[in-house]
Amino acid sequence: MKVLVLGLPRTGTQSLADGLVQLGISPIYHMREVARNKHQALWIEAIDAKFEDVGVPWTREDFERVLENFEGVADYPAAIFPAELVSAYPEASIILSVRPEDKWCESMESTLVHLQKKRAPGDTTSMSVLSGKYHHHCWGDDFAATGREFFRKNNQLVRHLGKERKFLEWQPQDGWAPLCSFLGVDAPPEGTPFPRSDDWVEYKKMVERENTATENAESA
């Protein structure tokens, strides 16, 4: 394991993951790898062990069942376990991806939180169960009330974990330069744009259309 990206979702984690790949750190374990590798049940097991005292908290041996072929992690569900991953992989550098708190909340509300609210009651598909677990344990199923506090606490924890490790705090507008310096690698050719990856683009457009329709109906 080379790099642990321990910022929360919607802080540029997908773009950062793709940027790391371009810099030769590959593959990176991102949320999109969960369904692709059918890892839902394993992450549910890890969450249950951490938050519900079901089973034993994960160590490196357990994480390796999921991550053994990866050189880095970014985004949920891995970033639910910052302290555990830092302990399990002492050789890995730490990156905390951040963005302004208001922007983060807006982005979360129009993506992960919005989708969770739309899930049908009693949906027992594996991705729905996994999503329900972290929405419950991270912000108590009430993002509006506790999301900001969770954001602050997570960032504070990761900064603390990074005090005795190779550590970088990074935000998307920082681009290549600090990342390449931190990793000790050559920058891409001049003019190479930093990835702007977002699997949620179409979903956010749908949410915007829904909000516009609601506003128009209310003003009619």
Side-chain angles (χ1 to χ4, degrees):
M1 185 67 65
K2 295 181 178 179
V3 177
L4 302 172
V5 178
L6 299 177
L8 295 178
R10 311 309 304 163
T11 60
T13 54
Q14 187 175 345
S15 298
L16 182 52
D18 291 346
L20 289 170
V21 170
Q22 285 187 233
L23 296 175
I25 298 176
S26 178
I28 303 292
Y29 194 99
H30 183 272
M31 171 61 87
R32 52 193 161 184
E33 297 292 339
V34 176
R36 184 181 300 168
N37 293 285
K38 296 181 172 58
H39 285 162
Q40 295 95 320
L42 286 169
W43 287 114
I44 290 169
E45 176 188 317
I47 290 172
D48 285 350
K50 175 169 182 170
F51 295 104
E52 301 180 17
D53 294 325
V54 178
V56 179
W58 276 25
T59 62
R60 183 173 185 134
E61 182 178 0
D62 301 296
F63 283 114
E64 284 291 278
R65 290 188 284 162
V66 177
L67 303 175
E68 66 173 337
N69 295 318
F70 292 86
E71 293 192 339
V73 301
D75 201 71
Y76 272 11
I80 296 171
F81 304 90
E84 294 86 351
L85 287 169
V86 168
S87 176
Y89 296 101
E91 75 278 13
S93 301
I94 300 170
I95 298 176
L96 172 62
S97 52
V98 296
R99 71 185 297 185
E101 188 175 297
D102 287 346
K103 292 293 186 183
W104 178 74
C105 288
E106 291 172 10
S107 185
M108 287 289 289
E109 290 278 12
S110 65
T111 54
L112 281 79
V113 175
H114 186 276
L115 177 60
Q116 183 64 15
K117 290 177 180 177
K118 289 176 66 70
R119 292 188 188 279
D123 184 350
T124 58
T125 58
S126 56
M127 284 303 293
S128 291
V129 173
L130 175 58
S131 176
K133 291 276 186 181
Y134 67 72
H135 279 275
H136 177 68
H137 290 296
C138 292
W139 38 82
D141 296 313
D142 192 346
F143 183 84
T146 64
R148 288 177 182 272
E149 180 183 6
F150 182 78
F151 179 75
R152 295 166 190 162
K153 285 184 175 180
N154 178 82
N155 292 349
Q156 182 180 23
L157 171 60
V158 176
R159 291 180 185 119
H160 175 74
L161 293 169
K163 284 184 175 179
E164 297 183 3
R165 295 279 281 275
K166 190 175 180 183
F167 174 80
L168 173 70
E169 188 163 326
W170 179 94
Q171 51 188 333
Q173 60 264 38
D174 292 341
W176 293 114
L179 190 61
C180 294
S181 176
F182 175 71
L183 297 171
V185 299
D186 293 334
E190 186 175 353
T192 301
F194 199 88
R196 294 179 59 87
S197 312
D198 187 358
D199 288 341
W200 290 90
V201 168
E202 293 304 318
Y203 190 90
K204 287 188 289 185
K205 290 179 180 178
M206 180 197 73
V207 173
E208 289 176 5
R209 291 193 295 269
E210 285 182 359
N211 291 340
T212 300
T214 299
E215 290 170 2
N216 291 340
E218 290 175 348
S219 62

